[in-house]
Amino acid sequence: MAGKGFSDQPVCLQTLLGKYNQQYHKLFKDIPPEEMVLKVCSCALQKDLLLQGRLYISPNWLCFHASLFGKDIKVVIPVVSVQMIKKHKMARLLPNGLVITTNTGQKYVFVSLLSRDSVYDMLRRVCTHLQPSSKKSLSVRKFPEEAECESLEVLIPEMKWRKVCPAPGSLPDNIPCIPRASPDPTDSCFTSRKPPGSEKAICEDDQLEEESTSNQQLRLWDSRLLKIVFVIICLLVLSSSYLAFRISRLEQQLCSLNWDGPFPAHR
């Protein structure tokens, strides 16, 4: 899997990836030397500050490196630990971010991606244990199929079918057993099918969640606009009151000047 990084790439791109591969192994010395870089992208890790750096994507690792005040900041994420990848909007406006969640609950927000969709597609190809849960996210497969079992058996030979797939006694009696075509007759796998409409239900839930968040944002903006309009109305009322007061004072002063002036003499 690691040897396929450069095989189908143009010569210029291979040279560039070779340069990035040297940097990759120079920065992350614990990564095995046979691990080849598939894609390198400039981005920023969103923490208390935006840490501008580079994200290195290889078949088994996602590594981020940044330098802040001469200090190296590194993040290493094993591909097998990734539980969810979701598209993210920076400041809820700019669609240039990705959120990566691991099985330990860690959440990494990468923003300022110039080509977010291409990075998302590469992560989708690398994280073969994830499946699309909506148009904007990938999550762990909840219903493993036979193809997944085969890929796991190839990637991790010591994991047999009996470990990956459920045992016959753990399934209900009404689910038929479908034996897997294998030279070893003792190994078998039960294919579990997704309930009808499960993907549609997941998409509907995501749409409802997005609609609820958008409605909350609209209500928040409406409340802010109402507050601003109320403050403007109060300022107008105060200014008009002040002007009326000043006009009345000027009228009083004019009346007092007329009354206090000399009267003309009567002949």
Side-chain angles (χ1 to χ4, degrees):
M1 182 177 181
K4 296 181 180 180
F6 302 148
S7 60
D8 300 329
Q9 303 292 341
V11 177
C12 296
L13 186 57
Q14 288 183 17
T15 305
L16 186 61
L17 286 177
K19 178 182 177 182
Y20 283 134
N21 191 65
Q22 293 178 359
Q23 295 179 357
Y24 178 51
H25 289 286
K26 185 177 180 181
L27 291 171
F28 303 93
K29 300 183 183 298
D30 295 333
I31 302 297
E34 62 272 11
E35 191 81 5
M36 305 298 289
V37 172
L38 300 176
K39 189 175 183 64
V40 180
C41 54
S42 177
C43 62
L45 179 63
Q46 185 173 324
K47 293 289 187 181
D48 296 333
L49 298 174
L50 284 179
L51 304 175
Q52 187 68 34
R54 284 176 178 168
L55 178 65
Y56 297 83
I57 302 174
S58 64
N60 299 298
W61 303 91
L62 309 177
C63 300
F64 175 80
H65 173 262
S67 181
L68 182 65
F69 303 121
K71 180 179 179 182
D72 289 336
I73 299 172
K74 300 178 183 179
V75 175
V76 179
I77 307 172
V79 168
V80 293
S81 69
V82 177
Q83 294 289 301
M84 179 177 289
I85 299 173
K86 189 174 183 180
K87 294 183 179 180
H88 173 74
K89 289 185 179 181
M90 183 179 179
R92 298 183 179 181
L93 294 174
L94 302 176
N96 62 354
L98 289 173
V99 179
I100 298 176
T101 306
T102 64
N103 52 11
T104 59
Q106 289 288 334
K107 185 179 290 187
Y108 302 95
V109 182
F110 297 100
V111 296
S112 300
L113 290 164
L114 297 179
S115 180
R116 183 186 68 175
D117 291 338
S118 64
V119 178
Y120 181 82
D121 292 337
M122 177 60 69
L123 292 174
R124 182 177 179 178
R125 290 196 294 269
V126 170
C127 301
T128 56
H129 60 289
L130 303 181
Q131 67 175 355
S133 57
S134 68
K135 293 182 179 179
K136 298 182 179 180
S137 64
L138 304 170
S139 60
V140 177
R141 295 177 185 270
K142 295 183 180 180
F143 302 97
E145 296 180 357
E146 186 174 356
E148 181 186 2
C149 295
E150 291 179 354
S151 63
L152 288 174
E153 188 178 13
V154 172
L155 292 174
I156 309 175
E158 61 271 13
M159 293 181 64
K160 298 295 184 180
W161 279 82
R162 290 185 295 270
K163 295 181 181 180
V164 177
C165 299
S170 63
L171 292 174
D173 296 332
N174 57 354
I175 298 179
C177 175
I178 302 176
R180 173 178 174 266
S182 173
D184 188 2
T186 59
D187 291 338
S188 62
C189 178
F190 291 87
T191 59
S192 59
R193 300 183 179 274
K194 297 182 181 180
S198 60
E199 295 182 354
K200 184 178 180 181
I202 293 173
C203 294
E204 289 179 353
D205 292 340
D206 291 335
Q207 291 177 357
L208 290 175
E209 182 180 356
E210 291 178 358
E211 290 178 357
S212 62
T213 54
S214 62
N215 291 333
Q216 290 177 1
Q217 294 176 3
L218 288 175
R219 287 196 294 268
L220 181 61
W221 280 107
D222 290 340
S223 62
R224 290 178 178 176
L225 288 175
L226 287 175
K227 290 179 181 179
I228 294 172
V229 171
F230 179 74
V231 171
I232 293 173
I233 292 173
C234 291
L235 291 175
L236 290 174
V237 171
L238 290 175
S239 61
S240 61
S241 300
Y242 177 74
L243 289 175
F245 173 74
R246 291 294 298 170
I247 291 170
S248 62
R249 290 289 297 174
L250 290 173
E251 290 178 350
Q252 291 177 1
Q253 290 177 3
L254 289 173
C255 291
S256 62
L257 289 175
N258 290 332
W259 283 103
D260 294 337
F263 290 96
H266 293 284
R267 290 183 181 181

